[in-house]
Amino acid sequence: MIEIIELNNNSYLMEKLTNRTQFEYKEVNQVVEDIIEEVKNKQDQAVRYYTEKFDSVSIDDFLVGEREIKQAFKSICPKLKSDLERARDNILLYHKEQLTESYTITKENATLSQRVRPIEKVGIYVPGGSASYPSTVLMNAIPAKLAGVSERIMITPPSSDGTIKDSILVAASLAGVTKIYKIGGAQGIAALAYGTETIPKVSKIVGPGNIYVAMAKKKVSGYVGIDMVAGPSEILIIADETANPDYVAADLMSQAEHDPLAAAILVTDSNELALKVQASLNRQVETLERTDIIKQSLRDYGAIVVTKNITEAVDLANEIAPEHLELLTKDPFTLSSDIVNAGAIFIGEYTPEPVGDYFAGPNHTLPTSGTAKFSSPLSVTDFIKKTSVIYYDRQTLVDAKDSIIRIARDEGLTAHANAIEIRFRNELE
Amino acid sequence: MIEIIELNNNSYLMEKLTNRTQFEYKEVNQVVEDIIEEVKNKQDQAVRYYTEKFDSVSIDDFLVGEREIKQAFKSICPKLKSDLERARDNILLYHKEQLTESYTITKENATLSQRVRPIEKVGIYVPGGSASYPSTVLMNAIPAKLAGVSERIMITPPSSDGTIKDSILVAASLAGVTKIYKIGGAQGIAALAYGTETIPKVSKIVGPGNIYVAMAKKKVSGYVGIDMVAGPSEILIIADETANPDYVAADLMSQAEHDPLAAAILVTDSNELALKVQASLNRQVETLERTDIIKQSLRDYGAIVVTKNITEAVDLANEIAPEHLELLTKDPFTLSSDIVNAGAIFIGEYTPEPVGDYFAGPNHTLPTSGTAKFSSPLSVTDFIKKTSVIYYDRQTLVDAKDSIIRIARDEGLTAHANAIEIRFRNELE
């Protein structure tokens, strides 16, 4: 089911991982373009049409009412509700450290500021069907609220009976979502980007989705902001002979179950561990529910890489820059400081990756496909924007003017020079 | 040359501005795709070929040597050199406030960190020819250096005699660029994204460029990070009857001279000022060098909008979210706090926009085309990335496990639940 490869086959592994995200979706492309055009032109009418077509339900009022939310609080398992509250509190605690302050520098009679303001309106996409996760709601809505975004608008596709899962509605309420609409797919993204009679136009859209949603986000990106176009999920585990092979196998499978395109990779300097993990995978997979997805994902994109030592393992991890990285080694804390590129690092045997997915506090929206080399987990800073503010008094400009004029002239931009000169022309004459 | 319009024609203005950035460049698209493919496959050979083709020069060694840089310091006008040093010091002073610190939260025996690390290698694109600006070098390289990026690689197309402008080389040296290569265009972007025998592969590419460079950046985006795909430049000036019409006109033209697609807009509650600015534009434009570009830009994308009061002017500015916003009113400081969406705000009559382009300290790479609603000036934070680090000890996981398992099961992800359960299975049995 899963291959064991030597590190010198490393380029083979890299190719496998890279190809994973380079699929062409020409048909999807055209469908999504048409949907966006239709929603831009026909607004609610188009959204209603596509909701009937794709979600097989006719929705009169897209807006979720107070009554539906109250009903969800009544219906939800009380323990699950308090689990979501605990998760919310942890997420709040971790993310509130990310608030960015404005700053001002005063230099004689000049003042320079970087002013931080929340984005005014944000759209949060939450998938429906089998990938309808309350944790998605918490992880996207809480940082937006902390940033001070005033309208936090969630959209999610309804079930064919027109309802939304209780845990999704409860999570939205706990996380401070201001409005929920029953709309999904590319039509939902288009509605948020361009606005309709019902759906407010937002300035930024965040949240995961299927290929239609991802393509639609990519297409409206630039016109509105987006968080990222996420690729399939990944885990890389660095483990040595001290690791428990059953834990390693279980953790690999917890990523593999997401998607046949998910990648689960163990890198170890222990040949013995490699064999034990392989055996444990074969044993455990049969006891799980999403067996077929796990088998397919481990076969196509899984690997156990055996290295000469842990240093080689760290180098490989830094090259791959995985979304999730677990360290199951003798001294994982020390090792963690050698990790340069990763979305999130999970340290030691009692921090399996689901701790981060749901509960610990850090965001679970993480850079995939090696983008951890240059991008970051979703955070409060994704929901703010900065403006520079510059004030010079007359004397400050007098002191600076010759330098500014000379640089402008060197750049051949004489109207720039003129904008300075005209303020002193009478004195020059 | 420039129209005066009433605010009720506002949708006409918005359309004008929006259309500005929606050009289709199908031919460019294919050319750029071909160039990227060629550079990916043939590396230096392809770069050399395109440099001969587009820059009309055959380059043996792309790398700029120490000797060329020393020569530039000898040749440059000493005053210009010290102007660039003053600008550098101001940029350093302003940007060093943007350094982001890592943080750690400890909760009983769990620790959660957001770890900040610099991106390892960054490419800085600097245009050649008539748009070859030393200020571009300073504004892009200084934040990268402050962030701690270890390789800060600049590329810029050579003149047809194989040289690079003195002020560009001097600015690069002052700003701490680590390597300079004589390569431009889409081939340069491709070389930075994929690497060649000579050019190191980088993780992020920043800097402005022509349509070929912009399209190439867009295409490699996601594989590497990019700063933004900038649209044409904009200025919006809010002025009342206290403003000097000659200053307003000069400042409008300082943006208009960039590009026939640049937009320069005055919004005022004073009909008298509107007429005076119009007259001053007609007078001043003839005294400048880039007269034709200015006339074209003011005709196609310029406007003087007359509003009933300053509140209407502020609302329009927030809707347009301009790259540059000047406030030339009685009480510009108070007014500035009503501005929600803008790249940079310039306050009062001694802060014309070129003060920010070259000298004051804040970055001149600013969000264009209304993207100030959700994005920010280039800053030190564009050159760092964050990693979450999570550690739970056994007891912390014991306390959390039931919640995590319940949420995982609600989401239908049983392999996630299994990764927790397996750690306690022996005790459960």
Side-chain angles (χ1 to χ4, degrees), chain A residues 390-410:
Chain A
I390 307 178
Y391 167 73
Y392 265 30
D393 76 342
R394 191 173 186 290
Q395 189 54 48
T396 310
L397 188 59
V398 167
D399 295 342
K401 72 181 179 16
D402 293 345
S403 289
I404 298 173
I405 291 167
R406 261 192 306 265
I407 300 175
R409 293 200 174 281
D410 178 68

Side-chain angles (χ1 to χ4, degrees), chain B residues 217-239:
Chain B
K217 277 173 69 182
K218 200 165 181 178
K219 281 185 192 300
V220 301
S221 166
Y223 181 67
V224 297
I226 64 167
D227 50 349
M228 60 178 83
V229 177
S233 197
E234 299 138 16
I235 190 169
L236 188 147
I237 302 179
I238 297 179

Side-chain angles (χ1 to χ4, degrees), chain A residues 38-56:
Chain A
E38 284 289 290
V39 173
K40 248 168 100 168
N41 297 327
K42 301 191 191 150
Q43 308 188 43
D44 277 350
Q45 193 198 329
V47 173
R48 201 156 272 127
Y49 169 81
Y50 289 116
T51 305
E52 288 189 22
K53 184 168 172 182
F54 297 127
D55 301 318
S56 314

Side-chain angles (χ1 to χ4, degrees), chain B residues 84-138:
Chain B
L84 294 173
E85 283 167 343
R86 288 180 74 187
R88 178 205 49 198
D89 293 345
N90 288 343
I91 297 167
L92 272 171
L93 184 75
Y94 179 79
H95 284 77
K96 72 179 162 50
E97 301 292 322
Q98 295 164 350
L99 285 162
T100 309
E101 299 287 329
S102 300
Y103 69 81
T104 297
I105 294 170
T106 307
K107 216 186 148 187
E108 287 147 35
N109 291 310
T111 62
L112 309 171
S113 307
Q114 175 174 278
R115 211 168 67 181
V116 177
R117 288 273 173 97
I119 295 172
E120 290 180 282
K121 295 179 193 181
V122 163
I124 298 165
Y125 189 89
V126 175
S130 67
S132 182
Y133 302 150
S135 58
T136 308
V137 179
L138 300 179

Side-chain angles (χ1 to χ4, degrees), chain A residues 89-347:
Chain A
D89 294 344
N90 288 342
I91 297 167
L92 272 171
L93 184 76
Y94 179 79
H95 283 78
K96 71 177 161 51
E97 303 291 323
Q98 294 164 351
L99 285 163
T100 309
E101 299 286 328
S102 299
Y103 67 82
T104 297
I105 293 170
T106 306
K107 217 186 148 189
E108 287 148 35
N109 291 310
T111 62
L112 309 171
S113 307
Q114 177 174 279
R115 212 168 67 181
V116 177
R117 287 273 173 97
I119 295 173
E120 290 181 281
K121 296 179 192 182
V122 164
I124 298 166
Y125 190 89
V126 175
S130 68
S132 183
Y133 302 150
S135 58
T136 307
V137 180
L138 301 180
M139 292 293 182
N140 284 278
I142 292 172
K145 186 173 184 191
L146 281 171
V149 172
S150 54
E151 295 191 38
R152 307 176 292 278
I153 296 155
M154 181 177 122
I155 66 169
T156 190
S159 313
S160 55
D161 63 358
T163 63
I164 292 172
K165 218 165 94 170
D166 292 335
S167 58
I168 295 290
L169 293 179
V170 168
S173 178
L174 295 178
V177 164
T178 53
K179 289 237 161 74
I180 309 170
Y181 295 96
K182 294 175 183 173
I183 304 178
Q187 63 275 18
I189 300 297
L192 288 172
Y194 294 98
T196 71
E197 298 92 337
T198 308
I199 315 300
K201 176 186 176 349
V202 300
S203 294
K204 188 164 185 171
I205 302 172
V206 299
N210 63 19
I211 182 70
Y212 292 87
V213 170
M215 293 271 285
K217 277 173 69 183
K218 201 166 179 176
K219 280 185 193 298
V220 301
S221 164
Y223 181 67
V224 298
I226 64 167
D227 50 348
M228 60 176 83
V229 178
S233 197
E234 299 140 14
I235 190 168
L236 188 145
I237 301 178
I238 297 179
D240 61 18
E241 81 287 354
T242 66
N244 181 319
D246 289 336
Y247 300 179
V248 175
D251 296 357
L252 290 171
M253 289 190 297
S254 76
Q255 277 309 296
E257 78 166 333
H258 271 297
D259 184 348
L261 289 171
I265 298 163
L266 164 65
V267 189
T268 179
D269 60 348
S270 160
N271 210 45
E272 204 186 319
L273 183 78
L275 292 167
K276 282 187 185 159
V277 169
Q278 197 177 36
S280 182
L281 283 169
N282 288 325
R283 213 167 43 239
Q284 283 189 63
V285 73
E286 302 300 339
T287 71
L288 297 172
E289 284 176 24
R290 297 162 73 97
T291 311
D292 292 343
I293 296 177
I294 296 172
K295 282 183 175 169
Q296 201 184 329
S297 147
L298 290 180
R299 186 193 63 216
D300 293 345
Y301 302 109
I304 298 177
V305 183
V306 180
T307 58
K308 281 205 286 294
N309 49 49
I310 288 293
T311 308
E312 275 188 2
V314 168
D315 291 345
L316 181 60
N318 281 328
E319 190 182 344
I320 291 177
E323 184 189 11
H324 305 99
L325 176 67
E326 283 189 11
L327 299 179
L328 294 167
T329 57
K330 227 175 322 203
D331 187 2
F333 272 103
T334 309
L335 199 60
S336 104
S337 60
D338 295 333
I339 301 297
V340 181
N341 301 318
I345 302 174
F346 300 83
I347 293 185

